[in-house]
């Protein structure tokens, strides 16, 4: 069965059948309040040393090392992908076509960020784009849906100017120097992003390689402050 046909069947099922919680199966919501409350929140930490860190920014002790490995400044995630409830929700979003789960998860992330900080200088949400062929097959970009949910809570603007050029997936085992020599995966039209605090939105961050390529494209058009905003991480 082709990927496209599976997606069509999933969309039809979601439209015709009663809405059920992706985690427990209870009718009424794609992710019921009881299951949402059970998801373990991740405390923002420096990803290199594990110390508590504001907005998940690399701490001062790790910044020099981070600059040699990553084009972004930190990672702020809602929870761990190993959390069975969060994993079930993300799988339903990506593979079963439960599109409004993106909005729900984005709202959860938005409330979390506002619990950490009330005011950020010129925040801008930029969802990691899918390649057009992949987006046509899925029917939507899950990262954009998550960004819409975040924006509902925070009132931050969303930009969709970042484009994906290829399906290439960088190897997590390559060095930073090797990865930057690979074929460009993302492109952003010339813009002045220097003063914005960019939250690069994705559903899951694993090795950080894809987010790193996207951040490089943003750096090339002037971005200085880039935080990966993911629903889950499995780093």
């Amino acid at each position: 069965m082709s990927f496209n046909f599976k997606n069509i069947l999933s969309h039809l099922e979601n439209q015709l059948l009663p809405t059920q919680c992706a985690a427990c199966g209870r009718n009424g919501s794609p992710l019921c309040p009881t299951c949402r409350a059970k998801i373990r929140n991740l405390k923002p930490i420096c990803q290199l040393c594990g110390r508590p860190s504001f907005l998940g920014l690399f701490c001062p002790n790790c910044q020099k090392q981070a600059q040699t490995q990553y084009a972004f400044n930190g990672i702020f995630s809602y929870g761990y992908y190993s959390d069975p409830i969060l994993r079930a929700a993300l799988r339903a979003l990506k593979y079963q076509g439960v599109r409004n789960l993106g909005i729900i998860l984005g709202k959860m992330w938005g409330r979390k960020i506002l619990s950490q900080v009330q005011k950020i200088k010129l925040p801008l949400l930029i969802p990691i784009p899918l390649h057009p062929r992949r987006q046509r097959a899925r029917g939507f970009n899950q990262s954009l849906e998550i960004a819409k949910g975040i924006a509902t809570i925070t009132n931050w603007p969303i930009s969709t100017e970042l484009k994906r050029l290829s399906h290439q997936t960088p190897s997590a085992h390559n060095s930073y120097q090797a990865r930057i020599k690979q074929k460009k995966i993302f492109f952003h039209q010339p813009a002045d992003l220097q003063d914005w605090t960019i939250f690069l939105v994705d559903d899951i961050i694993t090795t950080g390689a894809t987010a790193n390529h996207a951040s490089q494209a943003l750096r090339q058009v002037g971005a200085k402050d880039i935080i990966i905003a993911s629903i889950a991480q499995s780093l």
Side-chain angles (χ1 to χ4, degrees), residues 114-132:
L114 289 186
S115 73
Q116 301 290 321
V117 59
Q118 292 297 316
K119 191 172 182 180
I120 295 175
K121 178 186 176 184
L122 289 176
L124 180 64
L125 299 168
I126 299 182
I128 293 278
L130 295 177
H131 188 275

Side-chain angles (χ1 to χ4, degrees), residues 118-153:
Q118 292 297 316
K119 191 172 182 180
I120 295 175
K121 178 186 176 184
L122 289 176
L124 180 64
L125 299 168
I126 299 182
I128 293 278
L130 295 177
H131 188 275
R133 188 165 70 245
R134 177 64 60 84
Q135 183 159 334
R136 284 194 298 271
R138 182 165 292 163
F140 61 92
N141 176 7
Q142 71 276 4
S143 296
L144 176 57
E145 299 306 306
I146 292 168
K148 290 176 183 177
I150 296 172
T152 300
I153 299 299

Side-chain angles (χ1 to χ4, degrees), residues 83-127:
D83 185 302
I85 295 174
L86 200 54
R87 184 170 64 248
L90 286 169
R91 286 179 174 175
L93 170 64
K94 292 179 70 173
Y95 306 120
Q96 297 171 25
V98 188
R99 185 170 183 167
N100 53 351
L101 264 172
I103 302 292
I104 292 172
L105 293 169
K107 287 180 176 179
M108 291 164 58
W109 192 100
R111 294 187 186 100
K112 178 177 178 178
I113 189 70
L114 289 186
S115 73
Q116 301 290 321
V117 59
Q118 292 297 316
K119 191 172 182 180
I120 295 175
K121 178 186 176 184
L122 289 176
L124 180 64
L125 299 168
I126 299 182

Side-chain angles (χ1 to χ4, degrees), residues 54-55 57 73-74 76 109 113 117 119-126 150 154 156-159 192-201 218-219 222-229:
F54 177 67
L55 297 183
L57 296 170
N73 302 85
F76 193 103
W109 192 100
I113 189 70
V117 59
K119 191 172 182 180
I120 295 175
K121 178 186 176 184
L122 289 176
L124 180 64
L125 299 168
I126 299 182
I150 296 172
T154 62
W156 295 349
I158 300 173
S159 169
D192 185 5
L193 298 178
Q194 179 174 343
D195 295 327
W196 294 88
T197 301
I198 293 171
F199 289 85
L200 193 57
V201 181
L218 296 175
R219 293 278 186 203
K224 290 185 176 180
D225 299 316
I226 304 171
I227 298 171
I228 308 305

Side-chain angles (χ1 to χ4, degrees), residues 164 167-174 179 182 185 207-211 213:
R164 188 163 192 138
H167 283 294
Q168 180 179 351
T169 302
S171 170
H173 304 291
N174 287 345
R179 289 201 302 269
Q182 291 179 331
I185 296 177
T207 66
T210 298
H213 267 282

Side-chain angles (χ1 to χ4, degrees), residues 19-85:
T19 301
Q20 293 183 323
C21 175
C24 71
R26 185 180 292 125
N27 287 337
S29 171
L31 188 62
C32 72
T34 301
C35 286
R36 293 180 213 180
K38 291 178 180 179
I39 298 173
R40 179 188 168 196
N41 272 326
L42 249 175
K43 299 295 184 183
I45 60 172
C46 170
Q47 295 294 326
L48 291 180
C49 69
R51 295 188 183 94
S53 174
F54 177 67
L55 297 183
L57 296 170
F58 296 117
C59 71
N61 293 335
C62 295
Q63 281 182 3
K64 186 174 181 180
Q65 178 186 348
Q67 288 171 359
T68 67
Q69 293 181 258
Y70 303 109
F72 50 82
N73 302 85
I75 300 172
F76 193 103
S77 300
Y78 188 86
Y80 285 113
Y81 189 63
S82 58
D83 185 302
I85 295 174

